[in-house]
Amino acid sequence: QVQLVESGGGLVQTGGSVSLSCAASGLTFNSGFMGWFRQAPGKEREFVGGIRWSDGNIDYTNSVKGRFTISGDNAKSTLYLQMDSLKPEDTAVYYCAADTSSWINMRSPRAWDYWGQGTQVTVST
């Protein structure tokens, strides 16, 4: 019943911006967690950022702080990841994730129950 669908990926130049969307169904945006992970070739799936809906608390991994912004549109049941000042090292498949638990370790991929299919973001030099 829960479905997450990412969109918005593509090819951009260094310093550019991309906004990703995660359309969610079967979830409420007033409880649980949603977030973004990314996985580059040959690398582990890495936590990017996540939001705790109960209080709106947002956490980011250090490498994206100040450049990436997570937001949500409750009316559209959509989570966004705005990515600015992109670097080649941001190149990865970006995944949306969700969990309905009251507490999880957001930084662990294994903590999340639901995943989207991923969308490719490539940042050229």
Side-chain angles (χ1 to χ4, degrees):
Q1 186 173 25
V2 174
Q3 186 177 21
L4 306 173
V5 181
E6 303 98 332
S7 62
L11 176 64
V12 299
Q13 294 184 355
T14 297
S17 297
V18 170
S19 182
L20 304 182
S21 298
C22 174
S25 61
L27 293 172
T28 61
F29 278 42
N30 58 6
S31 63
F33 299 80
M34 290 189 71
W36 293 92
F37 285 75
R38 64 187 182 185
Q39 188 164 24
K43 302 292 185 180
E44 298 290 327
R45 189 165 296 191
E46 175 191 23
F47 176 74
V48 176
I51 182 168
R52 182 171 60 205
W53 289 118
S54 62
D55 59 3
N57 182 69
I58 298 174
D59 192 25
Y60 300 95
T61 194
N62 287 337
S63 63
V64 308
K65 287 181 179 178
R67 300 189 298 122
F68 291 9
T69 304
I70 289 173
S71 62
D73 186 333
N74 185 270
K76 296 182 178 180
S77 297
T78 301
L79 185 76
Y80 301 99
L81 179 64
Q82 181 179 325
M83 302 187 291
D84 299 318
S85 301
L86 284 164
K87 306 173 181 179
E89 51 262 45
D90 295 317
T91 295
V93 176
Y94 283 72
Y95 297 91
C96 179
D99 198 277
T100 59
S101 301
S102 60
W103 183 92
I104 59 168
N105 177 11
M106 288 195 295
R107 296 180 178 273
S108 173
R110 294 187 177 273
W112 298 78
D113 287 338
Y114 307 106
W115 293 88
Q117 83 288 349
T119 185
Q120 176 72 46
V121 174
T122 302
V123 184
S124 64
T125 58

